[in-house]
Amino acid sequence: MKTVLFWFRNDLRLHDQPALQAALASGARYLLPVACLPAPDERGAWGWERASPQRRAWRHGALRDLDRQLTRLGCPLLVCDGDPATVLPALAAAVGATELYCEDIAAPEELQQVAALRAAGLAVHTTWQSTLLDPQYLPWTVDALPASYTPFRQAVERATRVAIPAIPATSAAAATSASSATKAPVTAPLAAPSALAPAPLAPPDALLPWPPATTAAGPGLPGYRAALLPAHVDARTVDARASLPAGLQGGETAALAHLHQYLHRRLPDSYKRTRNQLQGVDFSSKWSPWLANGALSARRIVAELRAYEAQHGANEGTYWLWFELLWRDYFRLLHLQHGVALYRERGLSTRRATPTPDASAERTANLTRWRHGATGQPLVDAAMRELLHTGYLSNRLRQVVASFLLGELQGDWRAGAAWFESRLVDYDVYSNQGNWLYIAGRGTDPRGGRHFNLEKQTAEHDPDGVYRRLWTEGESA
Ligand SMILES: Cc1cc2nc3c(=O)[nH]c(=O)nc-3n(C[C@H](O)[C@H](O)[C@H](O)COP(=O)(O)OP(=O)(O)OC[C@H]3O[C@@H](n4cnc5c(N)ncnc54)[C@H](O)[C@@H]3O)c2cc1C
């Protein structure tokens, strides 16, 4: 009677879940779905918390939603505190499992976690599932990925027969182009499973607080139900000015509802025109927080976008959403190609390595001012305060503040990336690393880095100072 663990990582959903489907197809009699939570006070190399309360709250919301859905299928989610490399082998031993299924994440820390599980004796089956494009069906092997984004996109569009639609597109023409658009390498999303194997033992009240050694309550499963996760963090920390309204929750149910209302309200049609705005919920899709924790699959989004095009016509906005989702894929595939080299200070560039970060008092003070929105540059300060208080920032402002840290403050891009990791509710290891490398000129940008002229950006994107006033008036840094 085989028991397998299914470890939810950044794929907190049931729809379009090939890794879960692989676990279900393994012939296991019992399935134990599990997620691990790092310690809330975990600190990174730069000294600050690795995940802000906002980011943790977003993940907790997604775990609670996942637990509700799994419970409906008779197989509740077990949540364990601590390092998966320690927790999961102990859990597997407790339920007599030797196999674990999970998604593949091609970033150094996540790869090490899997290596540690294998070293502990578990048979780990991983499935690559976070991209829109299936790497197997790309026009090249990942080793031969085109050297920068534009040729990558063009080759993908040739292979998928996506083209920038004429503007404005007629719905008949759009329907024709849309129906021919979703060829491999974009595979169709899978439906959510309608049944799961049962959990190995124990009704929920047999669960014990982790670690089991701290209780004398007898045998049971280490861990607890997602329903027990603290729920208060959102309400206390989300600011009324936030672009992501406080009512939004982190799980799959909210993700699909958000996607549907976005399409129902025809917001793709205005996306190209509004996407560079700074403030508000509708100027961009706001899919990223759910894409980041996997509550929403990129393949599901594109399938729904194609159905939308078939109904309403393809246009610049629908094309541009695809264009941006391809950036997301590009940074993922770049990780498959270059791996740990993307985490070097020099990234992929040929600059001479600077082995130790410059920790001079001036640089440290500059970094602190940047993080807290106290640089004296109003647009940067407003943006950094929005990030600090809400965990979200528009793409335009992410670029502006990153450029300011690297250009004007001569800061270390890795510190900037680590601060974004801590604060962003949509933190995604691939997109964050990729974008920081890009702006620092240490990735694959053919222009060798991006520097934004602050005055020009301010005049173009906040000409009346509305955004700056929103985040700086009445606030002390
Ligand atoms: C320095 C820096 C760090 C970033 N860190 C992250 C991060 O940790 N997580 C993250 O999801 N995005 C990151 N981005 C990319 C981008 O800013 C966000 O994806 C976007 O602002 C999210 O809002 P949205 O969903 O409304 O995007 P939309 O504009 O509606 O775009 C639709 C989707 O396309 C994808 N996308 C858009 N722009 C990019 C991009 N430049 N790179 C990769 N994917 C993109 C996202 O999945 C997004 O949800 C970063 C950008 C910069 C400049």
Side-chain angles (χ1 to χ4, degrees):
M1 294 271 228
K2 183 161 91 166
T3 297
V4 298
L5 303 189
F6 185 78
W7 176 27
F8 281 100
R9 305 177 86 190
N10 294 330
D11 53 348
L12 305 183
R13 66 173 182 272
L14 295 186
H15 74 270
D16 199 24
Q17 245 296 4
L20 179 61
Q21 301 281 357
L24 295 176
S26 69
R29 174 74 182 86
Y30 298 111
L31 176 80
L32 180 56
V34 58
C36 298
L37 284 179
D41 56 357
E42 188 186 354
R43 306 218 150 232
W46 299 87
W48 51 74
E49 61 192 353
R50 285 199 73 184
S52 67
Q54 288 96 327
R55 185 146 86 80
R56 280 184 275 129
W58 189 259
R59 191 166 179 85
H60 290 189
L63 289 171
R64 277 194 295 274
D65 184 66
L66 186 61
D67 179 49
R68 278 192 290 272
Q69 300 194 67
L70 288 166
T71 302
R72 275 201 286 275
L73 295 174
C75 198
L77 179 68
L78 186 68
V79 180
C80 296
D81 289 327
D83 180 3
T86 316
V87 166
L88 295 177
L91 183 62
V95 297
T98 56
E99 291 180 48
L100 177 146
Y101 287 76
C102 63
E103 71 158 331
D104 191 4
I105 304 181
E109 208 175 316
E110 288 78 359
L111 289 169
Q112 272 169 22
Q113 289 172 337
V114 168
L117 294 179
R118 290 192 171 129
L122 276 174
V124 182
H125 308 276
T126 62
T127 302
W128 179 261
Q129 61 178 8
S130 72
T131 41
L132 184 57
L133 306 168
D134 186 333
Q136 285 186 73
Y137 302 118
L138 286 171
W140 354 258
T141 60
V142 284
D143 297 343
L145 197 67
S148 62
Y149 175 74
T150 301
F152 160 79
R153 176 182 58 76
Q154 288 165 340
V156 168
E157 289 178 349
R158 277 194 297 278
T160 51
R161 291 189 249 154
V162 169
I164 304 180
I167 312 160
T170 65
S171 44
T176 319
S177 84
S179 63
S180 63
T182 44
K183 301 291 181 214
V186 183
T187 49
L190 300 177
S194 54
L196 297 175
L201 14 121
D205 37 348
L207 301 178
L208 298 178
W210 181 266
T214 61
T215 93
L221 295 181
Y224 53 86
R225 297 287 305 283
L228 299 178
L229 287 164
H232 58 268
V233 192
D234 264 325
R236 275 196 302 141
T237 55
V238 171
D239 194 298
R241 297 166 293 179
S243 280
L244 283 180
L248 290 185
Q249 295 292 319
E252 177 176 15
T253 309
L256 293 172
H258 177 78
L259 173 62
H260 291 148
Q261 68 79 33
Y262 187 80
L263 300 175
H264 180 71
R265 293 168 60 219
R266 306 277 309 259
L267 289 171
D269 299 358
S270 51
Y271 174 75
K272 173 79 185 329
R273 184 169 40 79
T274 59
R275 70 193 180 95
N276 274 320
Q277 290 176 8
L278 309 186
Q279 180 78 21
V281 64
D282 289 337
F283 74 82
S284 65
S285 72
K286 305 297 183 299
W287 294 332
S288 60
W290 291 287
L291 281 167
N293 66 21
L296 190 56
S297 121
R299 288 182 294 267
R300 174 72 176 259
I301 292 178
V302 165
E304 301 228 7
L305 206 52
R306 296 295 175 232
Y308 177 93
E309 288 178 330
Q311 191 183 352
H312 302 295
N315 56 45
E316 268 199 317
T318 58
Y319 171 75
W320 226 259
L321 283 160
W322 150 267
F323 179 103
E324 296 298 351
L325 286 170
L326 274 194
W327 266 112
R328 177 178 177 274
D329 263 32
Y330 179 67
F331 290 134
R332 285 170 150 66
L333 297 171
L334 210 56
H335 271 72
L336 288 178
Q337 184 182 25
H338 293 289
V340 78
L342 299 174
Y343 291 74
R344 299 182 300 209
E345 194 261 346
R346 71 181 169 89
L348 301 179
S349 74
T350 49
R351 294 162 200 246
R352 197 161 334 124
T354 37
T356 40
D358 172 359
S360 67
E362 189 191 351
R363 230 179 176 209
T364 308
N366 280 344
L367 181 60
T368 306
R369 278 198 291 273
W370 179 79
R371 284 167 48 219
H372 293 279
T375 66
Q377 289 294 341
L379 188 64
V380 172
D381 289 351
M384 294 308 289
R385 290 173 195 196
E386 182 187 358
L387 177 63
L388 184 68
H389 293 309
T390 75
Y392 182 83
L393 200 56
S394 64
N395 182 57
R396 172 60 44 178
L397 287 175
R398 291 182 203 204
Q399 293 174 320
V400 167
V401 299
S403 153
F404 185 79
L405 176 69
L406 306 185
E408 278 77 356
L409 299 182
Q410 295 292 300
D412 188 318
W413 71 271
R414 294 168 301 173
W419 183 245
F420 272 32
E421 172 182 353
S422 171
R423 305 311 303 185
L424 284 174
V425 292
D426 67 9
Y427 167 68
D428 172 276
V429 62
Y430 307 106
S431 292
N432 196 48
Q433 200 74 11
N435 276 289
W436 275 97
L437 281 164
Y438 189 79
I439 290 178
R442 286 150 206 238
T444 56
D445 182 5
R447 286 205 252 155
R450 301 281 153 139
H451 184 255
F452 290 76
N453 178 312
L454 204 47
E455 258 176 52
K456 202 163 157 253
Q457 292 295 318
T458 308
E460 214 168 296
H461 299 290
D462 190 33
D464 304 325
V466 174
Y467 179 81
R468 278 164 289 161
R469 280 196 298 282
L470 184 67
W471 290 100
T472 52
E473 263 177 15
E475 287 233 2
S476 53

